[in-house]
Amino acid sequence: MNFIGLFYLLLAHYFSGKGFIRLFRLDLKPMVNFCLSLITGVVLLSFVPCILQLTIAHNPITASNVTIGIAVFTAIFSLPLFFPFRRPQFHQFKLPEIYEWPFLLVTAALVVLSVWRCFYFPPFARDMLTGPELLAEYAVRDKTMLSSVFNIDLGLKKITVDGIQQVSLAESNNNNIFKSSYIIGLQIMYKLLVQPFGQLWMSVLYIPFLMLVYQMLVERIHRFLAGLLLFVFVITPDLYAYSYVMLYDYSNMIFFFFGYFYLIKFLNNDKFNYLLWSGTLFGFATFIRGETLILLMFVAPLMLFHYYKKHTPFKTWAIQMIVFFSLSFVFYVITVDVFLVHFVPYKASVGSLLNKNLIDVSEIWRRMQEINDRLVFGKMGEGSYGYFIYFFCIVVFIDLIIRLGWKTPLNREALLFLYGVGVVYFGLSFMGYIIPANTLENTTKRGLFKAMPLILFYMSNSIILQKISLLLSRDRTSKPVVKPVLRTAPRPAPGTAATQSRPAAKSPAKPAQRPPVKGK
Amino acid sequence: MLYNKLNLFLAAILVIVLILYIPVYNNWLNSKIINGADYNFQMSHLAPEERMINRFGTNYNVYHAIANSLKQQNAVDPVVLLPPRKYLKAMKLEGDFDVVEPEVFYYFTGYKSTSFNSPMSDRAGWALVVENHRPGLKKITDTAVLNAVRNLYKKYN
């Protein structure tokens, strides 16, 4: 393995991602900024081989050209770093509390194993060997993305539509060559600069993702519970497997989750730059898997409801929504009209995949039933998601009882994450109706990954776990909750850990005043 | 002092053990993590070829041997005719060898192959056949041989 090449790529991911994030002028903590920079840098650099390919006459895909391409790309994206921006506040680094260590150590051991498997094994999934991995391998061997792969028997079924010869995706044995250039680009870079099987970029996504998730969890819930939730998330069998089995779904999940997370931020602070950033992240998710565009349709009602509640003028919300959705659309166009047109010498007939009988909407209901019976509560689901979804259902059920019995309201963020879970669930059912070729065992099963981090963050905001968190925080010796989000949380006595945990800047706030009760 | 740090530390260990004791997670831990691979073996076999064999097993070995055989015979741009899966099963092949798609064949060997019912099968110069329960290559010398092999494969389709 070429460690210098890996180090070079890590730096390139970090600086290109950091510079790109700077463009959005987000208020991020240093740790969040670091992890997001790496994650964003991965998707940004995946464009480098494609750009080289577009100028192939002068730039064959070789290690030296890719290295120069990455350097130029990183330099361009790092430009915003030279402009002054408010310096982030670095807090003193604290070691985790003793009770976090068991969770963190087990998680770290699993992460190490995941990295090892990324390194050791060649790509295995059939979808990769007959598509992106094959294309990347021969792009490296032939020094062009229009490689000799297109001269072999790809099992394509050619049809004529409107006098133009196209490939019927529904009838072909293999439609994997028509997928996004995301994995192809990354595999080319990692094969040339790091090791023959590439793949280590998955760990470059996985580790910062888990660090970021943990950081975000401890901001919401007691560290003991944050560790527990992270642990349960990591040991979800299929989620863990796809951290080292190369496919599009894990990356898609990461960008979809962060897109939704920053959309929630926008709904809370109404800052347009957060909406732009969220739209960009959803755009990345769409670039990785084009079907994400269908899921985004279900996000629109949430935004409309928000604008309605805020009495936002029509012109403002119309412009914001157009900008938000057009970002994803642009990335979709990049995949279909740039990548497929320039790098695949066949025209795909996407129409052949679509449902011909759209009048029969019962298919949506049937697909929802299938998801429930086989994936969510079935044996297949148990093998794939463990008991993660069961835990979620139990927490929702308890929350419902507390909500109805004690009139304790669920906090806003929990509701928004719950809506996100609904977006994925109904979106995938709808997708199964639009594209019947999306099988339950593959596309839908892995598509449900997108709901997993949303479920995790719902649980971290749930009434029951917030109550337990508050209970744990009352102890003087344990780490307190940083930001209690339960509305009806009893106010801790002055001097206790829970009050000490509040940020210093907020401490001189006025004492809470109750609104005058009507009729008195 | 119910929730002191030590109690929480012990609770964390207990929770981890309890969760990993749940059958689904226990099976996963035993089959995929602990017994999933021989890590000592992996550490001592780090060459890319060895890692390919470790991952793809017999399949990779056999296809690699086929590629070497074609190379030794100086075959120029050969196309190998691949049989249907049922043919291999009927021939009671030794080991866990299986037919791969032409794309995977190209990935393993760098040589072209084609499915017997593909239009490209007309260009096949070699065929993957089973003799004495072992896979081997048969040279296709003319159209009659090609049609005979295709007809043989069709029986098992």
Side-chain angles (χ1 to χ4, degrees):
Chain A
M1 192 168 95
N2 181 358
F3 282 100
I4 296 173
L6 179 62
F7 187 62
Y8 173 70
L9 276 169
L10 285 175
L11 286 178
H13 288 313
Y14 175 70
F15 283 111
S16 56
K18 192 175 170 71
F20 187 70
I21 291 173
R22 178 68 66 83
L23 288 174
F24 295 89
R25 305 186 74 81
L26 304 170
D27 189 16
L28 300 176
K29 290 180 178 169
M31 169 78 162
V32 175
N33 200 348
F34 174 77
C35 295
L36 262 185
S37 298
L38 277 172
I39 290 171
T40 310
V42 170
V43 73
L44 286 177
L45 288 192
S46 74
F47 288 101
V48 170
C50 303
I51 293 168
L52 281 177
Q53 177 66 31
L54 289 174
T55 57
I56 195 75
H58 307 288
N59 303 307
I61 295 177
T62 58
S64 54
N65 279 341
V66 167
T67 308
I68 294 167
I70 291 168
V72 172
F73 210 71
T74 306
I76 292 169
F77 276 101
S78 302
L79 283 179
L81 296 176
F82 293 101
F83 294 97
F85 184 64
R86 191 166 53 80
R87 187 179 287 273
Q89 286 186 329
F90 289 91
H91 300 282
Q92 196 184 359
F93 177 74
K94 275 185 181 176
L95 278 175
E97 298 286 354
I98 183 175
Y99 50 79
E100 293 175 80
W101 282 108
F103 296 119
L104 295 183
L105 285 177
V106 176
T107 303
L110 289 169
V111 167
V112 168
L113 191 60
S114 165
V115 175
W116 170 254
R117 288 179 178 180
C118 264
F119 159 75
Y120 188 80
F121 290 115
F124 186 71
R126 183 253 174 193
D127 284 7
M128 291 293 110
L129 295 183
T130 58
E133 166 61 10
L134 181 71
L135 292 171
E137 178 64 28
Y138 279 89
V140 170
R141 290 192 200 182
D142 299 345
K143 299 181 175 51
T144 169
M145 286 170 81
L146 282 167
S147 63
S148 55
V149 168
F150 296 109
N151 298 327
I152 69 169
D153 180 8
L154 290 167
L156 304 177
K157 171 77 179 171
K158 289 172 187 163
I159 54 170
T160 306
V161 180
D162 301 331
I164 303 166
Q165 201 178 54
Q166 298 185 352
V167 172
S168 166
L169 295 182
E171 295 167 83
S172 296
N173 291 337
N174 172 21
N175 57 19
N176 294 317
I177 58 164
F178 295 102
K179 289 187 174 165
S180 160
S181 64
Y182 168 72
I183 286 183
I184 303 171
L186 288 166
Q187 277 295 91
I188 290 173
M189 286 191 304
Y190 276 76
K191 276 170 184 279
L192 284 170
L193 301 185
V194 184
Q195 65 135 348
F197 302 144
Q199 291 200 119
L200 276 168
W201 55 268
M202 286 193 292
S203 302
V204 181
L205 278 181
Y206 185 53
I207 297 171
F209 171 65
L210 289 186
M211 286 165 66
L212 209 43
V213 163
Y214 188 64
Q215 167 76 22
M216 288 166 167
L217 284 175
V218 295
E219 287 172 11
R220 285 163 176 75
I221 202 164
H222 188 278
R223 283 172 176 266
F224 177 85
L225 295 173
L228 174 62
L229 286 177
L230 181 78
F231 170 70
V232 174
F233 180 76
V234 169
I235 62 165
T236 302
D238 266 18
L239 273 185
Y240 181 69
Y242 285 99
S243 70
Y244 58 86
V245 173
M246 189 172 71
L247 276 174
Y248 288 95
D249 302 273
Y250 206 94
S251 305
N252 181 242
M253 174 196 83
I254 291 175
F255 287 103
F256 184 88
F257 165 69
F258 285 124
Y260 195 80
F261 183 86
Y262 283 98
L263 181 68
I264 290 178
K265 288 256 179 197
F266 163 73
L267 297 177
N268 287 335
N269 65 19
D270 264 328
K271 289 181 180 170
F272 185 58
N273 54 336
Y274 279 81
L275 184 72
L276 271 181
W277 175 235
S278 163
T280 308
L281 289 167
F282 276 128
F284 290 155
T286 308
F287 169 61
I288 294 166
R289 275 198 85 100
E291 307 99 289
T292 311
L293 213 50
I294 299 176
L295 292 189
L296 277 186
M297 280 171 26
F298 292 88
V299 173
L302 177 68
M303 295 178 68
L304 286 173
F305 181 71
H306 168 77
Y307 291 127
Y308 169 75
K309 289 276 280 184
K310 290 260 175 183
H311 304 292
T312 312
F314 170 76
K315 195 178 159 188
T316 309
W317 69 254
I319 290 172
Q320 288 192 350
M321 284 191 73
I322 288 170
V323 170
F324 177 77
F325 287 105
S326 59
L327 281 165
S328 290
F329 190 70
V330 164
F331 279 99
Y332 181 78
V333 169
I334 288 173
T335 306
V336 175
D337 288 333
V338 178
F339 172 70
L340 290 184
V341 168
H342 287 91
F343 309 145
V344 180
Y346 304 109
K347 189 170 169 55
S349 166
V350 182
S352 61
L353 283 177
L354 301 179
N355 186 357
K356 303 286 185 295
N357 186 21
L358 285 173
I359 297 167
D360 182 16
V361 289
S362 65
E363 178 62 26
I364 302 176
W365 177 246
R366 197 184 64 77
R367 185 55 76 112
M368 277 163 63
Q369 273 185 322
E370 271 189 348
I371 291 177
N372 287 345
D373 295 344
R374 295 177 60 196
L375 281 181
V376 177
F377 302 112
K379 278 278 168 206
M380 195 203 304
E382 268 182 29
S384 296
Y385 315 122
Y387 287 127
F388 192 72
I389 297 181
Y390 290 120
F391 293 148
F392 166 63
C393 292
I394 291 167
V395 169
V396 171
F397 183 69
I398 295 172
D399 277 359
L400 208 65
I401 291 172
I402 299 174
R403 171 77 184 88
L404 296 175
W406 288 269
K407 310 287 181 204
T408 307
L410 202 59
N411 75 58
R412 179 182 153 90
E413 200 174 75
L415 284 172
L416 290 170
F417 279 119
L418 206 54
Y419 184 89
V421 176
V423 165
V424 177
Y425 177 74
F426 292 111
L428 287 174
S429 307
F430 186 72
M431 218 186 276
Y433 154 74
I434 297 281
I435 312 167
N438 279 1
T439 57
L440 192 81
E441 297 80 8
N442 298 306
T443 316
T444 308
K445 187 184 84 172
R446 296 197 297 263
L448 266 182
F449 287 175
K450 286 186 273 288
M452 299 299 155
L454 300 170
I455 286 175
L456 190 74
F457 277 83
Y458 167 79
M459 292 204 278
S460 73
N461 283 290
S462 69
I463 301 174
I464 180 69
L465 290 189
Q466 281 292 322
K467 276 191 182 295
I468 296 171
S469 177
L470 212 65
L471 203 69
L472 295 172
S473 303
R474 278 184 192 162
D475 181 68
R476 266 174 279 173
T477 52
S478 62
K479 187 77 186 165
V481 174
V482 175
K483 193 181 80 176
V485 282
L486 199 69
R487 278 188 206 163
T488 54
R491 191 177 300 170
T496 58
T499 48
Q500 287 163 3
S501 70
R502 291 178 188 272
K506 290 182 183 174
S507 57
K510 291 175 195 171
Q513 289 181 347
R514 284 168 180 265
V517 181
K518 281 180 186 173
K520 285 195 177 180
Chain B
M1 295 297 286
L2 180 63
Y3 306 116
N4 67 23
K5 289 180 185 180
L6 191 63
N7 281 350
L8 284 175
F9 172 74
L10 295 173
I13 294 173
L14 185 70
V15 166
I16 290 170
V17 171
L18 282 177
I19 289 176
L20 293 179
Y21 201 66
I22 297 172
V24 168
Y25 292 113
N26 198 258
N27 289 341
W28 169 77
L29 186 72
N30 285 322
S31 62
K32 306 280 185 198
I33 307 297
I34 297 171
N35 301 325
D38 183 348
Y39 299 110
N40 286 333
F41 177 83
Q42 289 178 4
M43 293 290 273
S44 54
H45 293 80
L46 288 173
E49 277 296 297
E50 291 174 317
R51 285 148 66 188
M52 288 289 276
I53 293 166
N54 198 357
R55 182 54 136 170
F56 296 108
T58 314
N59 263 6
Y60 183 76
N61 275 331
V62 172
Y63 287 113
H64 207 62
I66 288 172
N68 284 338
S69 165
L70 288 169
K71 204 173 178 182
Q72 281 167 7
Q73 299 189 49
N74 294 323
V76 182
D77 196 20
V79 177
V80 178
L81 196 64
L82 298 174
R85 208 162 261 181
K86 283 180 188 167
Y87 166 76
L88 292 185
K89 215 171 180 182
M91 293 290 121
K92 293 176 182 154
L93 202 68
E94 287 171 358
D96 57 352
F97 175 70
D98 201 0
V99 178
V100 294
E101 291 166 274
E103 299 92 327
V104 182
F105 186 89
Y106 195 57
Y107 182 72
F108 284 166
T109 65
Y111 288 113
K112 289 176 195 165
S113 65
T114 177
S115 157
F116 73 96
N117 51 8
S118 156
M120 200 178 167
S121 64
D122 290 341
R123 289 173 50 196
W126 302 81
L128 179 62
V129 289
V130 178
E131 285 170 346
N132 300 327
H133 307 296
R134 287 173 180 230
L137 275 181
K138 177 178 179 156
K139 191 165 171 59
I140 296 173
T141 47
D142 53 31
T143 319
V145 178
L146 176 65
N147 287 335
V149 175
R150 278 200 292 214
N151 287 335
L152 173 72
Y153 288 170
K154 269 181 197 165
K155 282 188 206 166
Y156 299 96
N157 193 24

